[in-house]
Amino acid sequence: MSATMNADTNSQKSVIKGAIRIEDVVKVYDPDGAAVMAVDHCSIDIPGGEICMIVGPSGCGKTTLLNAIAGFHGITSGEIYLDNELLCGPGKMQAEPGSDRIVVFQNGALFPWKSNLENVVFGPMMEGKLSKEVIYDKAIKMMADAGLGGTEHSFPGEVSSGLRRRVEIVRALMLEPKVLLFDEPYRALDSLTKSVMHEALLDIYYKNKVTIFFITHDLEEAIFLGHRLIIMSSRPCKPKKIVEVDIPHPRDYSVLTSPRFRELMEEAKGVVNEEAKKAFEAGEKEG
Amino acid sequence: MNNASLQASEMTGMALTMYRISTWFKSPKPYLMLFGVGFLLTIWYLFVEVWQLPRFEDMPGLTEVVTEYFSPDPIYGLSVYTPEYYQHIGISLRRIAYAFFLATVLGVPLGLFLGWSKKFHEFIFPLFEVLRPIPILAWVPLAIIMFSGSETPVIFLTFLASFFATTLNTMLGVQSIDESYTRAARCLGANGWQTFRHVIVPGAMPYIFTGLQISIGVAWFSLVAGEMVSGQFGLGYVINTAYTMVTYPTIVIGMITLGVTGFITSTMVRMAGDFMMQWRVRELALGDN
Ligand SMILES: Nc1ncnc2c1ncn2[C@@H]1O[C@H](COP(=O)(O)OP(=O)(O)OP(=O)(O)O)[C@@H](O)[C@H]1O
Ligand SMILES: [Mg+2]
């Protein structure tokens, strides 16, 4: 047990896995022949272990891009690589969903019919590689680490939405994924819970270095969490501006009041507002 | 921490039931219910026996029915003291049990596959939708021709309506499952069969039990229809013969018995549902507070 843990930390020190390369990806939805271009020749390079925040106007195609990485639908052209291995591209337009890239959904997708603990052990139990005791021990330990002790035997519907989100993240981490894909996970939370969740997420991240692909509408959240902000253009989706957040990690909430944070906010806000306006005007024309 | 989990599991069993019963008695519900029943009985008594309103004068009166029902030596041959009474109930219950069991065992898997597989759906569902609207009474002649004896046609008729209700609701249950759940399962490495077992089946469970609730209701409905047409025992038969033999109090005895047994069976189905879906019970209990 301890030997394997040592091996784990060693490999983490050398190279953090989970680099995602998106190359020239195009996604056209074609319902009833009316082609909607959701993603347009989009290229993004995310190094392993980075928190990459994706910001863009509503309906621009962010979820579409995330679903392509997760393997929920195919792409029209282009390639996506994970650690230089082709996920999807010519010859195989849809990636196979797998436990190396786990999605935390916009509305949450804990199974309401399983207790929190049963949810957390779901992945490894399905995999069936480890014994039940080992899996449950690990799950209870990870839940305790994430401040979820005592909620193991409650059902997701019985705990607050903030705790549910945390359970969902722990469920994902149980499989030691290389990439976590977040689709606006905190959209429905109030700002107080949100700030608690941000610190909890960073806390979990510092313990388990994974690549995080995080979609959000909230600029403050984006700058607080991310190493980098990728601001997307209005539909079709394509990186418009990349903002490097040069505030060192580990961060806590004092960062929010620092002058550098304000500067970055101003810089990002200008671009985002411009794109939001474009999206709105495009909507007016279509409507 | 351990304490909390212990409490939670205890609350799901006996304690929870006792707690619910005690709160029920403290709420106005049981008294309102008694008041409702009392009101109906009073109206009945007044209309038939005191005022003897036109169109009500031939109806059996409250006192007549009650004396007959609880008489050790009933005038028309059926009361709580006669073994035949329980024989009729037993036979009706047995038919319901067979039909409901068959409908569940066949309907739930069929519904699950109809919702799960697009191809299977396209293949079977149109046929299903043509057969479903045919009223149970229209099946009676065919049932009598197809099956020999008096028992199987009645069971078949009872089965049919239940089967359609169960299958349709199960299918809707599968279709109602949020796509995020199946996607999450696949992300977490579940294969097709595991997704079916851990996501599709439990996810459809609330609809399945709604279906079973409807199923047990329509089972009684079509059972009585079947027993009135063919069959030599059972509560539907009791009511029908009482009508032809002009023994009116027995009709009311049959009806009350049907009402009570029907109510008990659907309560049993609901309790089975609550038992199998603790997560829902506990979620809803939170919502109530
Ligand atoms: N299955 C689909 N078929 C056709 N068009 C679709 C489909 N899914 C999404 N779209 C369209 O593609 C565009 C991008 O959608 P997407 O969900 O990726 O946007 P988004 O950036 O995630 O938006 P939001 O911020 O509101 O979640 C939208 O205009 C949407 O209408
Ligand atoms: Mg979206």
Side-chain angles (χ1 to χ4, degrees):
Chain A
M1 186 68 201
S2 63
T4 57
M5 268 172 64
N6 276 337
D8 266 19
T9 42
N10 280 344
S11 67
Q12 263 188 19
K13 250 177 234 160
S14 52
V15 182
I16 297 167
K17 292 214 176 144
I20 294 182
R21 208 164 77 234
I22 299 168
E23 269 182 15
D24 224 18
V25 165
V26 176
K27 170 74 184 179
V28 179
Y29 285 113
D30 198 13
D32 324 310
V36 176
M37 192 183 231
V39 180
D40 177 22
H41 296 280
C42 172
S43 299
I44 302 175
D45 206 343
I46 306 170
E50 182 181 271
I51 304 178
C52 179
M53 309 297 289
I54 309 289
V55 186
S58 194
C60 82
K62 304 179 296 292
T63 301
T64 306
L65 196 59
L66 180 137
N67 284 347
I69 301 172
F72 298 147
H73 59 210
I75 53 178
T76 311
S77 73
E79 289 125 58
I80 301 178
Y81 295 90
L82 174 61
D83 289 329
N84 288 321
E85 271 177 54
L86 188 73
L87 282 177
C88 56
K92 178 190 164 207
M93 295 320 275
Q94 182 167 357
E96 189 62 39
S99 56
D100 48 357
R101 292 152 279 140
I102 301 187
V103 178
V104 176
F105 289 87
Q106 206 157 10
N107 297 313
L110 282 179
F111 305 130
W113 47 86
K114 288 182 183 287
S115 72
N116 290 332
L117 182 60
E118 286 169 332
N119 265 289
V120 171
V121 298
F122 183 82
M125 287 300 280
M126 293 302 107
E127 204 177 41
K129 268 197 243 157
L130 300 170
S131 79
K132 197 174 159 185
E133 288 82 61
V134 174
I135 295 172
Y136 271 80
D137 280 352
K138 182 176 170 187
I140 289 169
K141 193 178 162 298
M142 283 192 67
M143 286 181 78
D145 280 350
L148 290 165
T151 64
E152 290 92 343
H153 301 282
S154 307
F155 288 103
E158 293 179 296
V159 298
S160 71
S161 52
L163 287 183
R164 269 206 293 276
R165 278 311 152 86
R166 233 184 285 178
V167 175
E168 202 173 349
I169 295 169
V170 173
R171 175 173 82 172
L173 289 172
M174 278 292 283
L175 286 163
E176 293 165 12
K178 296 177 185 162
V179 183
L180 283 181
L181 303 162
F182 288 86
D183 193 350
E184 297 184 67
Y186 305 142
R187 187 185 216 169
L189 302 185
D190 62 275
S191 59
L192 198 66
T193 316
K194 227 178 184 178
S195 55
V196 175
M197 291 309 295
H198 290 154
E199 287 193 307
L201 176 67
L202 285 180
D203 215 38
I204 292 172
Y205 169 79
Y206 297 141
K207 287 180 197 156
N208 319 260
K209 284 279 161 62
V210 290
T211 308
I212 293 181
F213 181 96
F214 194 118
I215 298 175
T216 180
H217 272 122
D218 181 344
L219 264 183
E220 200 165 274
E221 165 175 276
I223 297 174
F224 178 64
L225 293 174
H227 290 107
R228 240 182 352 150
L229 242 65
I230 301 189
I231 301 172
M232 296 290 189
S233 62
S234 57
R235 208 186 75 214
C237 166
K238 163 178 210 170
K240 163 96 180 179
K241 184 176 172 63
I242 295 179
V243 178
E244 298 280 346
V245 183
D246 46 11
I247 301 171
H249 275 276
R251 297 178 190 161
D252 61 35
Y253 254 76
S254 62
V255 163
L256 288 184
T257 46
S258 70
R260 182 66 189 140
F261 186 87
R262 286 293 129 203
E263 270 171 47
L264 288 166
M265 270 301 270
E266 290 312 312
E267 187 183 344
K269 231 181 216 163
V271 187
V272 169
N273 284 344
E274 191 185 317
E275 282 311 314
K277 221 156 130 199
K278 267 192 218 158
F280 183 72
E281 276 158 14
E284 294 252 284
K285 257 181 249 156
E286 273 173 29
Chain B
M1 186 178 92
N2 241 335
N3 227 342
S5 67
L6 212 77
Q7 250 177 17
S9 62
E10 261 176 11
M11 274 303 274
T12 62
M14 210 42 209
L16 189 60
T17 320
M18 293 310 293
Y19 173 73
R20 280 220 201 115
I21 290 172
S22 78
T23 43
W24 190 68
F25 273 111
K26 277 178 214 139
S27 74
K29 277 186 207 159
Y31 309 105
L32 284 174
M33 193 180 87
L34 278 181
F35 182 74
V37 173
F39 182 72
L40 181 76
L41 292 180
T42 314
I43 292 278
W44 180 17
Y45 178 68
L46 290 177
F47 275 26
V48 181
E49 284 171 63
V50 180
W51 298 332
Q52 303 192 339
L53 296 182
R55 304 299 314 155
F56 282 91
E57 60 221 359
D58 286 342
M59 262 186 63
L62 176 64
T63 34
E64 195 188 355
V65 171
V66 171
T67 13
E68 176 80 2
Y69 208 164
F70 297 101
S71 153
D73 186 21
I75 309 168
Y76 304 108
L78 207 68
S79 79
V80 291
Y81 289 99
T82 56
E84 289 86 31
Y85 179 63
Y86 300 99
Q87 204 183 354
H88 287 299
I89 296 178
I91 284 173
S92 282
L93 272 178
R94 197 181 64 198
R95 289 172 179 153
I96 289 281
Y98 279 134
F100 181 73
F101 176 77
L102 271 181
T104 307
V105 165
L106 297 175
V108 171
L110 179 65
L112 287 173
F113 286 115
L114 277 173
W116 173 243
S117 155
K118 279 223 167 62
K119 275 221 184 81
F120 191 66
H121 186 274
E122 274 158 28
F123 178 55
I124 297 284
F125 196 62
L127 185 69
F128 189 83
E129 276 301 87
V130 172
L131 291 178
R132 197 171 60 93
I134 301 174
I136 291 306
L137 281 176
W139 284 93
V140 170
L142 203 63
I144 295 174
I145 298 167
M146 272 199 297
F147 298 99
S148 62
S150 63
E151 202 62 16
T152 30
V154 176
I155 292 179
F156 174 72
L157 291 172
T158 310
F159 157 81
L160 263 186
S162 288
F163 173 70
F164 287 126
T166 304
T167 310
L168 195 72
N169 275 281
T170 306
M171 187 190 83
L172 290 177
V174 176
Q175 289 172 346
S176 78
I177 296 172
D178 190 334
E179 204 182 10
S180 317
Y181 293 133
T182 44
R183 283 180 165 180
R186 291 188 63 201
C187 255
L188 294 164
N191 61 29
W193 169 245
Q194 287 170 327
T195 306
F196 185 78
R197 198 174 107 69
H198 291 279
V199 178
I200 302 299
V201 175
M205 207 54 97
Y207 276 73
I208 295 179
F209 271 95
T210 309
L212 293 184
Q213 200 85 43
I214 299 171
S215 158
I216 194 84
V218 293
W220 280 103
F221 179 86
S222 31
L223 173 85
V224 171
E227 283 179 342
M228 281 182 161
V229 181
S230 92
Q232 281 146 23
F233 295 98
L235 294 168
Y237 170 80
V238 165
I239 292 173
N240 202 38
T241 17
Y243 175 63
T244 46
M245 311 276 281
V246 209
T247 56
Y248 291 158
T250 312
I251 297 184
V252 181
I253 292 177
M255 286 170 64
I256 294 172
T257 313
L258 268 177
V260 173
T261 35
F263 174 75
I264 292 173
T265 48
S266 34
T267 307
M268 280 162 62
V269 172
R270 203 180 55 234
M271 280 165 61
D274 283 357
F275 179 73
M276 288 182 68
M277 295 185 294
Q278 285 301 324
W279 60 277
R280 229 160 172 256
V281 176
R282 279 158 69 172
E283 232 176 65
L284 294 178
L286 274 185
D288 275 356
N289 289 342

